[in-house]
Amino acid sequence: MPCRPSGRGGRGAVLELRIAHLYPRELNLYGDRGNLLALADRVRRRGGEVRVVAVGPGDPFRAGEVDLVFIGGGQDREQRWIAEDLLRQKGRELVAAVRDGMPLLAVCGGYQLLGRYYRTQTGEKIPGVGLFDAWTEAGRQRLIGDVAVETDLWDEGRRTLVGFENHAGRTWLGPSVRPLGRVLRGHGNNGRDRAEGVRWLNAVGTYLHGALLPKNPLLGDWLILAAWRRKYGLARLEPLDDGWEWTAHRAALRRLGLAAG
């Protein structure tokens, strides 16, 4: 069924989602690229069009040419490579775009680089762009395993998110942001305060790999709707048949000893 916006896009127009994929060669762990495939699939099943723009080191980030931003995870070495480029070339416009309502999804290393800083196990301090009021310091043991999180991201009530985490960083949140959710199983941001991820305006940071979105279709739709609400004034999305996605979601919950949510 074609998407037919009732807002600024004009009735009958096909909706388009333009995604900026930051550092696709440097930051892509545990199937993070699958998040883009999931977003594209959800847009196309609604009759929309998708365009993914790869933005690497040295490339300009032009906020006016995209509707949504994705950045995946990477090791300390890759984070060190791109930190200055992210901070000097892209950070200011990226922060301004998110402050203006642009949706963003950042996973693991990308999440860490969008905070104030990441201090590695050797004590090196990698500067972040400060988009999130958060900071990360590496611990001695990695936090690894399946994760389930309860979140109130939707007005309809609390829902679960599932994924896989593998990180040495312990992330702590400042007072101006909220966690994405509360950890039901797993470690989350730091293994201590039961917080997982971060949310600020329409931007989400998380340690959930997987890829995240194929097993959490509601989060994918939350990002798409945020983009199309900002671009076209769209109020809601038509539901999709997500039978396979929810089967995978419930299987992850059962593996963690939790009832299907």
Side-chain angles (χ1 to χ4, degrees):
M1 176 182 296
C3 299
R4 297 184 183 283
S6 57
R8 292 190 295 271
R11 186 168 297 281
V14 174
L15 300 189
E16 181 188 42
L17 185 69
R18 304 168 300 175
I19 305 172
H21 186 185
L22 300 186
Y23 308 107
R25 294 173 61 89
E26 293 79 12
L27 300 181
N28 179 38
L29 286 178
Y30 309 120
D32 285 342
R33 195 184 300 269
N35 293 307
L36 295 174
L37 299 177
L39 287 170
D41 175 69
R42 303 191 70 76
V43 168
R44 288 170 180 148
R45 279 199 280 161
R46 293 185 167 97
E49 297 178 350
V50 177
R51 183 160 61 92
V52 178
V53 179
V55 183
D59 296 335
F61 170 71
R62 297 188 175 95
E65 298 179 358
V66 295
D67 310 308
L68 188 153
V69 176
F70 172 72
I71 180 171
Q75 301 180 53
D76 290 2
R77 179 182 57 186
E78 285 79 15
Q79 292 190 53
R80 190 179 298 112
W81 285 347
I82 66 165
E84 183 171 352
D85 181 84
L86 179 61
L87 181 64
R88 305 298 177 197
Q89 287 212 8
K90 303 173 177 67
R92 181 176 297 179
E93 187 155 0
L94 184 63
V95 172
V98 169
R99 184 172 284 120
D100 188 53
M102 179 176 288
L104 173 147
L105 175 63
V107 177
C108 200
Y111 167 28
Q112 294 172 350
L113 287 174
L114 295 185
R116 298 183 201 165
Y117 68 84
Y118 169 46
R119 192 183 304 278
T120 70
Q121 288 181 333
T122 62
E124 179 185 6
K125 188 175 182 179
I126 300 175
V129 301
L131 187 151
F132 295 128
D133 181 13
W135 62 97
T136 301
E137 301 194 348
R140 293 187 177 183
Q141 301 293 326
R142 297 191 70 83
L143 304 179
I144 303 172
D146 291 323
V147 189
V149 177
E150 184 181 59
T151 179
D152 61 356
L153 198 59
W154 297 273
D155 295 337
E156 294 81 4
R158 295 180 181 276
R159 304 297 294 263
T160 52
L161 299 173
V162 296
F164 172 79
E165 63 181 335
N166 183 355
H167 54 103
R170 272 65 166 168
T171 297
W172 305 92
L173 305 184
S176 65
V177 294
R178 300 169 53 195
L180 173 60
R182 182 178 69 89
V183 174
L184 300 174
R185 294 285 193 279
H187 302 286
N189 280 344
N190 50 58
R192 295 178 61 181
D193 64 7
R194 302 190 67 77
E196 204 296 317
V198 65
R199 178 186 173 190
W200 182 58
L201 302 174
N202 292 326
V204 167
T206 180
Y207 278 111
L208 300 187
H209 291 280
L212 170 64
L213 297 182
K215 288 185 287 190
N216 298 283
L218 290 180
L219 182 57
D221 277 359
W222 185 85
L223 291 164
I224 294 169
L225 181 58
W228 282 351
R229 181 185 294 120
R230 179 170 180 258
K231 185 175 183 179
Y232 299 114
L234 203 68
R236 65 182 181 85
L237 297 177
E238 294 297 324
L240 297 175
D241 179 358
D242 288 322
W244 288 108
E245 289 83 351
W246 286 116
T247 296
H249 185 98
R250 287 190 289 268
L253 289 177
R254 284 196 299 273
R255 194 162 57 242
L256 288 164
L258 297 168

